[in-house]
């Protein structure tokens, strides 16, 4: 079961990479793979039970996979020291703006 | 010594650091004790203290980070399981997420550009509201620095989780789906974990926002960055 689901997940990943490459898209292949998998599930081309074992394993432990690249921040500490001010202001401003705008738009549209 | 630069050793210390961080988080349950952040800081300190090079560590580390790709594909499953909800509120969700992606990229990258940040830093900030693996993929495509993006994304998640509920209440956003969608769209998984505490509808909406905002941001960012880069002083 796990092997079958891994086969499907990696199949969609490879397909997504192929589509991204062939059409020269600026969208990462894994995002295209996710979209293709979702469409295939909706259309009933793929049964959700056949992908779930690997999908659950990957999604539930996703945080672990970005630890090694995160450690790579070590190489950019001088950049961080130089540009911390615009970085911090931009991320705080943007987080608040997105929260307010999305919450407000969704609430307005739900009422109308 | 060759042992400390072997792939097996790198993989082992990564598992060990994350396991330790997870234990610590489960013991105390503070938001800022985010296990990913703790594991990253712990490994950074370890490499610094031992003098091991990041390049050597990453030989093994990339075996782990390779699984980010299939993990993003796997997000298609929770997205599919939420399809019923999307169909029911299709237009409202579509508009909200479209706005989230555009406003998120423009406010983050635009603010940094106006404050004089360099090109790579601006590009690293652009995808800051979406889930880390997608954000890193986007950053790579638009000339950002993926590790910097990872750090910003985690910081955004923690900030959103801490201030999000208060900010939303202050702005009169009380409707459960709007609350959850805003938390997920602004601060991905970490914000959604906080939204879950408010209720099931909030949590489900947050999970939905993670997937949809990831897709929308991946689509709009390359275009919007062309615009933002016009303001960057040192590209």
């Amino acid at each position: 079961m796990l092997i079958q689901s891994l086969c499907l997940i990696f199949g969609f990943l490879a397909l997504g990479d192929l589509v991204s490459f062939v059409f020269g898209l600026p969208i990462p292949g894994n995002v295209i793979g996710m979209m293709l998998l979702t469409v295939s599930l909706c259309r009933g081309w793929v049964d959700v039970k056949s992908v779930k074992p690997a999908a659950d394993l990957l999604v539930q432990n996703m945080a672990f996979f970005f630890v090694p690249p995160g450690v790579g921040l070590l190489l950019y500490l001088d950049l961080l020291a130089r540009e911390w001010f615009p970085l911090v202001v931009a991320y705080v401003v943007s987080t608040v703006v997105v929260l307010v705008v999305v919450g407000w738009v969704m609430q307005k549209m739900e009422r109308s | 010594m060759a042992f400390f630069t072997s792939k097996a050793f790198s993989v082992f210390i990564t598992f060990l650091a994350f396991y330790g961080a997870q234990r610590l988080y489960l013991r105390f349950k503070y938001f800022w004790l985010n296990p990913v952040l703790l594991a990253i800081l712990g490994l950074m300190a370890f490499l610094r203290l031992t003098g091991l090079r990041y390049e050597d560590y990453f030989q093994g580390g990339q075996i782990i980070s390779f699984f980010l790709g299939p993990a993003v594909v796997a997000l298609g499953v929770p997205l599919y399981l939420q399809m019923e909800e999307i169909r029911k509120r299709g237009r409202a969700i579509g508009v909200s997420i479209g706005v989230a992606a555009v406003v998120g990229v423009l406010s983050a990258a635009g603010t940094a550009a106006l404050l004089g940040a360099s090109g790579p830093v601006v590009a690293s900030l652009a995808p800051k509201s979406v889930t880390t693996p997608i954000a890193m993929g986007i950053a790579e495509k638009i000339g950002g620095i993926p590790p910097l993006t990872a750090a910003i994304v985690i910081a955004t998640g923690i900030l959103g989780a801490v201030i999000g509920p208060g900010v939303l209440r202050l702005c009169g956003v009380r409707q459960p789906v709007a609350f959850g969608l805003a938390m997920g769209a602004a601060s991905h998984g970490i914000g959604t974990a906080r939204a879950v505490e408010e209720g099931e509808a909030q949590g489900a909406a947050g999970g939905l926002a993670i997937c949809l905002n990831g897709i929308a941001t991946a689509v709009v960012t390359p275009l919007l960055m062309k615009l933002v880069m016009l303001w960057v002083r040192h590209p």
Side-chain angles (χ1 to χ4, degrees), chain A residues 2 20 22 37 89:
Chain A
L2 188 62
S20 178
V22 168
L37 174 61
V89 174

Side-chain angles (χ1 to χ4, degrees), chain B residues 167-233:
Chain B
V167 169
L168 288 171
R169 253 170 229 127
L170 208 68
C171 299
V173 177
R174 280 165 221 283
Q175 203 262 331
V177 176
F179 182 97
L181 209 72
M183 290 294 283
S187 48
H188 54 95
I190 305 174
T192 300
R194 177 68 186 80
V196 170
E197 294 173 13
E198 302 283 315
E200 206 172 291
Q202 286 88 332
L208 187 65
I210 298 174
C211 297
L212 293 178
N213 197 27
I215 295 172
T217 303
V219 173
V220 301
T221 306
L223 294 170
L224 292 177
M225 279 311 283
K226 292 211 168 98
L227 192 72
V228 173
M229 280 302 176
L230 297 175
W231 292 319
V232 175
R233 268 170 258 171

